[in-house]
Amino acid sequence: MNVRPEPATAVVEPATEPLIRVRGLRKSYGPVEVLRGVDFDVAPSEVVCVIGPSGSGKSTMLKCINLLDAPTAGEIAVSGVTLTDPKVDVDAVRARIGMVFQHFNLFPHKTVRANVTLALRHVRGLGRAAADAEAAEQLDRLGLAHLADQRPANLSGGQQQRVAIARALAMRPEVMLFDEATSALDPELVKGVLQVMRDLAGSGMTMLVVTHEIGFAREVADRVLFMDDGVIAEQGPARDVLERPRTERLRTFLSQVL
């Protein structure tokens, strides 16, 4: 008999005012309820990794936080702005939240520089010179300055993902969301992208990371959320969750992925 997991009994409250606050988040697609009441906070400069089996709602949760998917119910706030308020300026919210996807989502017909400057010019309203300068800074930061005039097809998967990270960072976001950022990469390319994410964490960037890289979560995350069947079934400090799981479901999951 399969028993649906219940949400973790309590939200772990950060010591400071949360940068991200999620309460009662639900998302349904027709009759299918993908998120069944998700509650958590992320403090400024905190790194939170989200793990769990496929179909547990991890990616849907990230898309709701960035308003790429409209929540069915619940409340999401970032820096005190309630994203779920119908009067919220969606573009202004998205400018504050960087997101990196599994499949890069670069424009194949545009150069690396143009991919990075597009949102800078059309969302932040920067002129060409200012946008190019910001792009150059971020591409140099990620070791990509020499590829600025290349098109994505001429880059490796790891380089394309670093361009996607540079594009997000160029917007100067308050928080970065990563949705399985390494899962589409060949194994030899994963290390470079994870190092970029480690460097970001070390710089104090607030990060919410959906990942299957358990070693990365153990090393870098302040906290880990384990999602199962649309709820957070377990959460806590990274090493506690990953090395001393309380539930049989998490023990089973970890035994399969490690």
Side-chain angles (χ1 to χ4, degrees):
M1 177 179 176
N2 292 326
V3 179
R4 300 183 85 186
E6 294 301 320
T9 54
V11 175
V12 179
E13 297 285 353
T16 59
E17 187 68 22
L19 185 60
I20 300 175
R21 184 177 180 86
V22 177
R23 290 292 181 272
L25 178 60
R26 293 181 176 271
K27 177 62 182 179
S28 297
Y29 298 99
V32 179
E33 191 173 34
V34 178
L35 298 176
R36 303 190 296 112
V38 172
D39 302 271
F40 69 94
D41 294 335
V42 181
S45 298
E46 189 177 27
V47 178
V48 176
C49 283
V50 186
I51 63 172
S54 297
S56 59
K58 307 183 300 296
S59 293
T60 298
M61 181 183 73
L62 283 195
K63 290 175 183 176
C64 286
I65 291 173
N66 204 26
L67 298 182
L68 295 175
D69 262 346
T72 303
E75 182 176 291
I76 302 169
V78 175
S79 293
V81 177
T82 302
L83 279 58
T84 42
D85 184 335
K87 298 179 182 177
V88 74
D89 184 337
V90 174
D91 287 338
V93 166
R94 286 184 181 147
R96 302 165 74 172
I97 305 172
M99 187 156 183
V100 179
F101 300 89
Q102 178 178 348
H103 293 292
F104 322 141
N105 289 1
L106 301 176
F107 292 101
H109 61 289
K110 292 184 178 294
T111 64
V112 165
R113 180 187 294 105
N115 268 279
V116 176
T117 59
L118 187 64
L120 289 171
R121 299 188 65 192
H122 294 282
V123 177
R124 280 183 56 187
L126 298 187
R128 181 181 296 276
D132 284 351
E134 180 67 40
E137 178 179 342
Q138 298 303 333
L139 290 171
D140 182 63
R141 177 183 184 181
L142 297 183
L144 298 167
H146 62 295
L147 299 174
D149 294 317
Q150 295 292 322
R151 292 199 183 335
N154 297 326
L155 277 55
S156 70
Q159 289 169 331
Q160 290 185 59
Q161 191 60 292
R162 283 153 58 202
V163 172
I165 295 171
R167 177 180 59 187
L169 291 175
M171 295 295 288
R172 303 286 178 168
E174 298 175 38
V175 60
M176 287 284 288
L177 310 180
F178 291 87
D179 187 11
E180 297 280 13
T182 60
S183 62
L185 300 178
D186 293 333
E188 65 269 23
L189 301 177
V190 169
K191 184 177 179 181
V193 172
L194 290 180
Q195 186 57 53
V196 169
M197 295 169 67
R198 286 187 183 91
D199 293 343
L200 281 177
S203 73
M205 174 64 72
T206 307
M207 295 165 57
L208 183 60
V209 183
V210 170
T211 185
H212 63 280
E213 299 286 346
I214 302 301
F216 173 84
R218 181 186 291 110
E219 176 189 349
V220 177
D222 298 296
R223 287 188 296 125
V224 166
L225 313 180
F226 171 60
M227 290 193 69
D228 188 31
D229 199 18
V231 300
I232 296 174
E234 195 165 337
Q235 64 175 303
R239 290 190 177 272
D240 287 352
V241 171
L242 298 174
E243 297 176 7
R244 294 177 290 278
R246 299 190 306 272
T247 63
E248 183 60 34
R249 183 67 186 93
L250 178 53
R251 284 192 288 271
T252 300
F253 171 78
L254 291 173
S255 71
Q256 293 171 341
V257 298
L258 290 176

